[in-house]
Amino acid sequence: MEKFDVIVVGAGLAGLAAAYTLAGEGVEVVVLERGDYPGSKNVSGGRIYVNPVRDLFPGLWDEAPLERAIVREGATLMARNRSFTFHYTGSELRTSPPQSYSVLRSRFDRWFSERVEERGAMLLPKTLVSDVIRENGKIAGVIAAGDELRADVVIACDGALSLIPEKAGLRAPGRPHDNAIGVKELIQLDPNLINERFNVADGEGAAHLFVGDVTKGLFGGGFLYTNRGSVSLGLVVSIEDIAKEEAAGDIPALFEAFKARPEIEPLLRGGKTLEYGAHVIPEGGYRSLCPLVGDGILVAGDSAGFALNLGFTVRGMEYALASGHFAAKAVVQAKAAGRFDAATLSAYQNLLEESFVLHDFKTFQETPRVLSNPHLFGHYPELAGNILRDLYSVPAGPKVPIFTTLRRHLTLSQLWTLLKDAKEVMKI
Ligand SMILES: Cc1cc2nc3c(=O)[nH]c(=O)nc-3n(C[C@H](O)[C@H](O)[C@H](O)COP(=O)(O)OP(=O)(O)OC[C@H]3O[C@@H](n4cnc5c(N)ncnc54)[C@H](O)[C@@H]3O)c2cc1C
């Protein structure tokens, strides 16, 4: 029977980060991944913010296969027949090192796994973990591809549809309310066309988020990131909303309608779809986090619920990297103490509390509730579009004063609703 110091389940960012840190500290670690290779099963937007995790992995970022440094931000409020867009760029986005990059996970995760193996960790792809081994009330290993593998500690990094914490009795199955479905297409485009269409130079990229009619008013939004020679286009929609709204529940139809929008179609013209993927994103925030520690087990990344959607930023990758790293640090401490019970392993919780991870989740704990306001996805995009339509229109006869135009749209009851919603938004 095999026995390791640590078994990591899942070679996504959380699992690879845990193994990278453990192997760097001389801990014997095996990573079990169900996919053909790390990155083969991972769907992400993806844009990665390196600043929060740069110092946790010194030297890693200089060689990393990242796509383009994001120097242009954009956001669009989409109404049914019109839209309102703003762009932002600033000198700080062009300073070195850049704060964020577009990234393709199939490329990045594969490269990262090679760095992990170079440090001495063992990686077993095509290995599905189906259960945990429990002995004397403690998690003592896993069942993988029918074999029993034992370890002092199991780190569950098996992503959003995580099975391991459930099997270990740490949590109940996820609720629709706390999860969204994300779909994404990778569309090949000539790098020079990308530069022209998105107003960027070689190595520079653009990130753009969309809200409103793109999800037909459901809680969620669209995203577009430019890679070196491709564009990542996707939609994220609340699973609870999809289940409620039968008519809008057809995600592929929503996605095709998004691609056909006049704001999007010219940007993709001539492109060729290379990949299509869909994945769950845990978006329940702080209140829906999984218990992070048990006897002989730690939970990191999406498996723990570490993804945060603030509307203008969607972040999960840095939380996965950081939580994997801190789980590894806690195991190193436990190994020195020679104890792997929940009390000793709770150093992980403390490390997360002291870091940006749990700080962020606590700071933005009201966000999932505030952002689930349906006005944000239907009413306000239409309102903004209608006001702009009337302000820009020049009729055949005389034009009404601007104040009259505004008052026509912003009645007293509208203003009252706007104030109430604004008060809620101020909580995040
Ligand atoms: C459409 C979409 C867009 C997103 N956009 C962004 C973005 O722009 N920026 C951002 O920061 N985040 C984004 N996210 C979230 C981000 O992708 C995740 O938070 C991040 O990938 C989590 O990493 P992880 O390692 O925890 O999980 P994953 O990357 O999902 O890795 C889990 C791994 O575990 C393996 N696995 C699962 N079960 C088992 C098992 N039983 N046995 C063996 N192996 C198993 C899987 O094959 C997988 O390799 C997006 C997510 C989606 C779906």
Side-chain angles (χ1 to χ4, degrees):
M1 206 176 306
E2 296 281 0
K3 166 106 197 290
F4 300 89
D5 289 340
V6 182
I7 292 173
V8 174
V9 183
L13 293 183
L16 291 171
Y20 184 82
T21 304
L22 285 165
E25 301 269 359
V27 178
E28 189 190 25
V29 52
V30 61
V31 187
L32 309 175
E33 166 57 45
R34 67 181 172 165
D36 289 351
Y37 57 87
S40 62
K41 291 275 187 188
N42 309 80
V43 181
S44 196
R47 173 188 191 168
I48 186 164
Y49 293 86
V50 179
N51 282 348
V53 289
R54 199 182 302 279
D55 295 343
L56 301 183
F57 307 94
L60 190 74
W61 304 106
D62 304 337
E63 305 288 318
L66 298 163
E67 294 293 310
R68 290 173 180 251
I70 302 298
V71 300
R72 284 180 71 80
E73 308 274 3
T76 295
L77 274 185
M78 273 190 173
R80 272 186 299 276
N81 299 312
R82 47 194 57 84
S83 64
F84 168 50
T85 291
F86 76 82
H87 286 284
Y88 172 74
T89 188
S91 55
E92 79 287 355
L93 297 178
R94 289 190 164 78
T95 52
S96 185
Q99 73 154 357
S100 76
Y101 295 86
S102 50
V103 63
L104 293 174
R105 291 288 300 280
S106 52
R107 188 175 291 162
F108 182 85
D109 289 20
R110 210 166 184 171
W111 172 87
F112 193 15
S113 71
E114 287 162 10
R115 305 291 77 76
V116 169
E117 284 185 298
E118 275 169 15
R119 288 190 153 201
M122 187 190 292
L123 178 72
L124 295 181
K126 300 184 189 170
T127 308
L128 178 75
V129 176
S130 54
D131 210 339
V132 294
I133 302 170
R134 191 189 291 271
E135 257 172 23
N136 305 322
K138 168 190 182 300
I139 302 306
V142 298
I143 311 286
D147 289 333
E148 286 194 5
L149 299 180
R150 285 166 189 273
D152 292 327
V153 183
V154 171
I155 307 182
C157 301
D158 49 334
L161 292 175
S162 174
L163 179 92
I164 303 304
E166 267 177 64
K167 295 274 183 186
L170 284 178
R171 71 143 187 241
R175 301 178 307 159
H177 177 73
D178 297 329
N179 290 284
I181 181 89
V183 293
K184 172 188 158 181
E185 229 174 271
L186 186 67
I187 298 156
Q188 186 177 39
L189 262 190
D190 181 84
N192 292 324
L193 271 185
I194 293 179
N195 292 355
E196 272 169 34
R197 289 181 186 177
F198 295 92
N199 199 11
V200 289
D202 287 344
E204 294 181 344
H208 204 115
L209 298 178
F210 304 84
V211 71
D213 192 61
V214 59
T215 57
K216 299 286 175 236
L218 305 183
F219 179 18
F223 61 82
L224 185 158
Y225 303 118
T226 57
N227 306 309
R228 278 184 243 177
S230 62
V231 167
S232 296
L233 185 79
L235 270 187
V236 176
V237 189
S238 144
I239 291 182
E240 190 175 42
D241 273 16
I242 299 167
K244 273 194 296 209
E245 302 276 341
E246 275 178 35
D250 183 351
I251 301 286
L254 273 186
F255 194 53
E256 287 310 311
F258 178 36
K259 278 168 67 180
R261 290 275 313 202
E263 299 87 348
I264 299 293
E265 191 276 331
L267 297 174
L268 308 178
R269 202 170 288 158
K272 180 177 154 212
T273 299
L274 297 176
E275 253 177 52
Y276 183 87
H279 207 275
V280 168
I281 313 179
E283 289 195 340
Y286 184 65
R287 294 194 181 103
S288 71
L289 289 180
C290 169
L292 302 168
V293 183
D295 287 318
I297 184 165
L298 297 173
V299 188
D302 273 10
S303 185
F306 284 136
L308 199 56
N309 181 352
L310 298 186
F312 53 94
T313 56
V314 181
R315 295 173 57 193
M317 289 193 260
E318 313 87 77
Y319 296 122
L321 285 164
S323 57
H325 170 80
F326 289 124
K329 286 285 183 197
V331 171
V332 172
Q333 289 181 23
K335 194 165 154 37
R339 289 194 308 276
F340 302 99
D341 53 284
T344 309
L345 289 173
S346 65
Y348 173 45
Q349 176 96 27
N350 299 338
L351 288 165
L352 289 171
E353 300 268 2
E354 287 159 13
S355 77
F356 72 98
V357 177
L358 282 179
H359 269 281
D360 284 358
F361 274 78
K362 284 181 187 167
T363 303
F364 297 107
Q365 59 184 295
E366 295 300 328
T367 311
R369 184 184 60 75
V370 172
L371 288 187
S372 65
N373 179 351
H375 289 163
L376 301 176
F377 306 96
H379 177 65
Y380 291 127
E382 290 296 333
L383 181 68
N386 291 342
I387 291 175
L388 288 166
R389 175 197 61 202
D390 291 352
L391 288 178
Y392 279 113
S393 111
V394 177
K399 191 168 164 64
V400 293
I402 288 172
F403 183 71
T404 311
T405 305
L406 291 177
R407 284 292 286 126
R408 192 181 293 150
H409 292 286
L410 294 169
T411 60
L412 278 181
S413 84
Q414 289 269 15
L415 282 170
W416 180 238
T417 310
L418 190 69
L419 274 177
K420 276 198 301 189
D421 288 343
K423 208 171 140 207
E424 283 297 298
V425 170
M426 280 156 66
K427 291 183 182 156
I428 61 177

